[in-house]
Every structure is written in structure tokens, then in C-alpha cells.
Amino acid sequence: MQQIDKALNRMTLPVRLEYFALLREQRGVGSEMIETAAATARDLYRELAATYGFTLEAERVKVAINNEFASWDRVLASGDTIVFIPPVAGG
Amino acid sequence: MSMDNLFEISAEALDIPALAASLTDRTAGAFTSFEGWVRDHNDGRQVDALDYEVFAPLALTEGAAILEEARQKFGVVAIRAVHRQGELRIGDCAVWVGVVSSHRDEAFRACRYVIDEVKHRLPIWKKEHYRDGSAEWVNCQHPGTGHEDHSHGDGHSHSHAKPAVTEADFYARQVRLPEIGADGQARLKAAKVLIVGAGGLGCPAGLMLAAAGVGTIGILEFDTLEASNLHRQILYTASQVGEPKAIAAAYRLTALNPFIDVRVHAAKADADTLPALFAEYDIVLDCTDNFATKYLLTDAAVLYGKPVVQASIHRFEGQLLTIDPRSPGGCLRCLWPAPPPEGLIGNCAEVGVLGVTPGLFGTLQASEALKIILGLPGVLDRHLLIMDALSFETRRIARRKDADCPICGAHPTIHALERRETVAYELDAGDLTPEALARFRIVDLREAHELAEHPLPQAQHAPFSRFDAASPEFDASRPVLLVCASGRRSTNAAQQLRAQGWKDVFSLIGGAKALGHFFHQAAE
């Protein structure tokens, strides 16, 4: 079983990422295609946050997958469009 | 004997015999007075009533200055003047000036000087209600742009050649749309929309709603116009800097559409003002620029059962949603249950903004309001719209009510609008004295690019982006007054420093603008 899990963890999925507002600035691009081994939206966000130094924790951000708001526990699927949205307040 | 001059603003009818009696003086040989009355016509139009809006803080200072000028210029004994505010009927006395002096000549001349200067210099606006049901705001301060209600003897022939605008002509193009028609136009006229925040979002929203013929538009805004507002707040002109925005906005919108009723609410959006306003209006546009008010309006939408159209922008991006308490789409708290800590996400003053971004989103807010009023499809009550104005990447993301939402969920934990009590470590500029201020080291937490707007040469500069409560760049063991643009970042920093055990650390409400104003007044 452990061997199967390891094999699964190495599997990657192609996904499209979009960043809104502060996250766009911290990532440096508005959107990108990546291959991810993350199982859930939360795992993916944590990896990105560590890599790009996002200052907002996942709890402060909403994730939308394929034009619908999703839970951070949502399991990712190949071809998902994943949008990370922090709250903004400017006027 | 010497008497003091007195300039007053009165919300009550003037007691003219009592005013005259108050000027009795044994050294005086002359008394003159002037009374300005509300007459039943102006510029050839029948007037039924007038509303006077006075920006009291400025009017009282300027009025007192005029009286003192006149006293010195003409050597009179004393002058008293009163200007009305509020609703006046035909025949009411709007302004009274009384002068006592030794001789008649200086009394007449001082009286004439005071009434002329009062009409030219005081920040007073009047809204004329005409017999035909329309209304117009007239800025009494700029005689070139408005009408004068004293006799100017030029026959006022200037505006008689203008063609009359009728309501039918005004709305002709939109009534032609089958989705609107005469019924839709009547619904627009019956609708009441409150705009909270007459800034970058509220200005274009107000123009669009007024032009479309929304019959009652309220402007809730406490601030005065600054030069740095003009690039995006397109209701105003450069000559209005320093004027209260709520009145300037009402003036502009009524000028655009004289067939609607624009109401001024020169106050803050808080637990005291919102309940009555949510009762008065059908739809609320959240055009504010801070999380605290956005969450307050979200809660008010749910508590009082009225739709709130909310837009927020960040640099070139914006988001838009309509909170409809009856919709399964939920509210702002369903997405983000609580606002982020202050300072974590920048506001316009900190990060900058190009006028077109709030211009786009304010216009979209007006579009949402019109759709709700007209019953058109596509209202964003179950979606969040996000758009990047640079790439034009747009997403319309489906949202659903969160059963755990603290305000609209199954077991809400919020049952009333939050009262933002002034925390013990927040200071109000109005309570400051030069002596109290001398105790503090002032630390300016704004970023370098923000300093020029309200320079504080008295302050030590320590930008919030580098702020670390564990090792502040300033001595926190001595009394410190923290200042930023608004008081939000400074309150956040004060909280953090107090959590580290520093006791004598305070945040200034209103920030650098309020402190600069205080120094300016103290210097006079």
C-alpha cells in the first residue's frame, strides 16, 4: 500500500492557476499552467505560499475551482482552473 | 463699553426682535439691520421651498472673520449675524445682520459689507424646490455658478433663452428599450438608493443612477474633498477642494438631473446612522474603501433585509457582488468570515489607484442597482465578479450561502451592528491639546511615497512595511503617538506593541491629515 501511495504522490496533474490582487503581485504573474503533485487545494496553496512567500494564510484566501468557490479540502483534478482570491477593500 | 461680535448658524426660525434687542448699546447712536427672505421665484422659476446646507465648522470661522473685518474696517461697535440652515418656506428670514455704531454712515456700510461677504464666502448651499416638482442645488459661495437671491438689478436675463428640459426628453432613449418603457421609468423614479462613500466608486455610480432617473439618491459621506481625490472622484471640481463631499455630490447630481431628490447625509456609516438609513432606502451601494465599513454594511444587509451592492478594488483589479438577504448566494462573510487584520492588504492611499478602475466598478454597481429596480436578469446575488482591467480577464464565480456564516448562516453569532468603541489606546485629534501632544514622540508609519500628501516634519519616519513589534525602529519605552494615513495601520501597530508589553503607545484616529490640521490650527 505504501508503495502505491508513493507512486500516487509522484503523479502530477496539469492545472491552470490564476492569482487575484495581492497574490498576483506576490506571485509576479496573473496566471500560469503548472503540473502539481498536490492532492488538495490546500496542499497546493501551501506549496505556492512557501515558494513565493505569500503573506496571507489559506484561511484568509478563497479558492475557486472551475468558476465555483470550493473547499480547501477539494481534491484536484486534471485540467482544473484554480483561482486564488484574497479579500480587497479599495474604493 | 465693548460688545462682542457674534456669528451663528441656526436651525430654528429667527427671533428678530430678540436679535435686535441683544444689540442695545448706550454708546451707539445708530442701528441698522438687513433681512434676507426666501422669495417665491428665482430666475423666472416658481420656488416653493428651500433647503440650506451649511458646512458649520468652516462657516462659523469664516463668518466670525467677516464680522471682525467689518468692525475694524468701519469702526462700528458690534455686529451680530445669523444664517439659517435646514428647510425654509417662502417668506422665512434666511439671514439676518445687525450693526450698532456711533453714526449711521458706518452702520449702513458695515451692514452691506457683511451681507455681501457672507453671500460670497460662506460654505452654504441651498436647494431650491420648484413649483414644477424639480429641484436644484445652488452653491451660494460661488455666485458665478449659481443664482443670487438678493436683487442684483441686471434683469437676470441670462438663463431665459435656455430651452426647457422635460422629463420625457431626458429619459427618451432609455424608455425606448423594451426592458424599461414607461413602467420601468416609473419604477426608477419610485426607487430609493443610498450611496455609502462618495469617492472613486460612489462618484460614477451616483452619476449613472442620477442620469437614469433613480428618484431618490442618498449620499452618506462625512469627508471633505482633497486634491488627491480629484483624479478618480469625478463628481467634483478643483475649486471644491476643502468642501464637504456629500454636499458637493448632491449639488452636481441635482444639476445633472433636476427631476430627482438627492439627499445629503454628512455622517459616518456606523451603528448609529445605518439602521434609519436602511429603513429609508431600498438598495444600498457599498462604495467604501475599508474593510470595517464593508463588513458593517454586509451585516446591515442581513439584519435589515435590504440588498447591498458591494464593489472593492485593488490597483487595476476589482470585485463586485450583490448581497441579497433573500438569495441562496450568501454574503461577504460567507466568503471571508472576518476582515483581515488592518495593514495586511493595502488601501488606495497606500498602494495607489488609477481612476478608471473605480470608474469601471462604480458604473457596474449602478448597473446592478438598475437591474434590481427594473427586475432585469443577471444580478450578481449568487456570483462574485472579478476583473483585471489590464488584461480584461474576467471571472464570474458561483457562490453559495455558508451554513456556518456568522451573520447569515444557520446559527448566526452576530445579532447587531458592531459598535466600534474607541479603544483606550486610540486618540481622537479633537481631544488633543498642544500640552498633551508635547508628551509624545510622533512616529509616522506611512510609506515614503505617502508622506508628501500631509507632511509631518515633526514626526520620526518608520514605514509600516518594515514594522516589527518585536524590535521597533523607535523607542517604544517612551510615550509614542503612532500616525499613518487613516489610523488603521497605526492602530494595528499599537495593538502589536501593547501585546509586547509597551504601555504608553497610542494610535491617532484620522492619521496624518487630522494631525496636520491640528498643527495648522494650533499655529494660528
Side-chain angles (χ1 to χ4, degrees), chain B residues 255-267:
Chain B
L256 166 63
N257 188 343
F259 305 109
I260 61 172
D261 179 19
V262 185
R263 298 179 183 171
V264 173
H265 305 285

Side-chain angles (χ1 to χ4, degrees), chain B residues 480-519:
Chain B
V480 173
L481 180 62
L482 301 172
V483 179
C484 65
S486 65
R488 291 195 281 268
R489 282 169 289 172
S490 55
T491 292
N492 174 294
Q495 279 171 338
Q496 291 191 49
L497 288 166
R498 287 192 170 230
Q500 296 281 331
W502 304 115
K503 297 270 179 271
D504 218 351
V505 178
F506 294 85
S507 162
L508 185 73
I509 300 170
K513 181 183 174 187
L515 190 59
H517 189 66
F518 173 81
F519 281 129

Side-chain angles (χ1 to χ4, degrees), chain B residues 150-201:
Chain B
H150 64 259
S151 168
H152 46 214
D154 63 355
H156 48 77
S157 57
H158 38 277
S159 66
H160 289 238
K162 278 196 217 161
V165 176
T166 67
E167 276 194 274
D169 293 341
F170 200 108
Y171 306 122
R173 289 295 182 279
Q174 70 186 36
V175 169
R176 190 169 295 172
L177 283 166
E179 290 83 355
I180 296 181
D183 285 355
Q185 198 60 53
R187 288 168 85 160
L188 290 171
K189 194 173 177 72
K192 297 178 176 176
V193 178
L194 177 69
I195 296 174
V196 184
L201 294 164

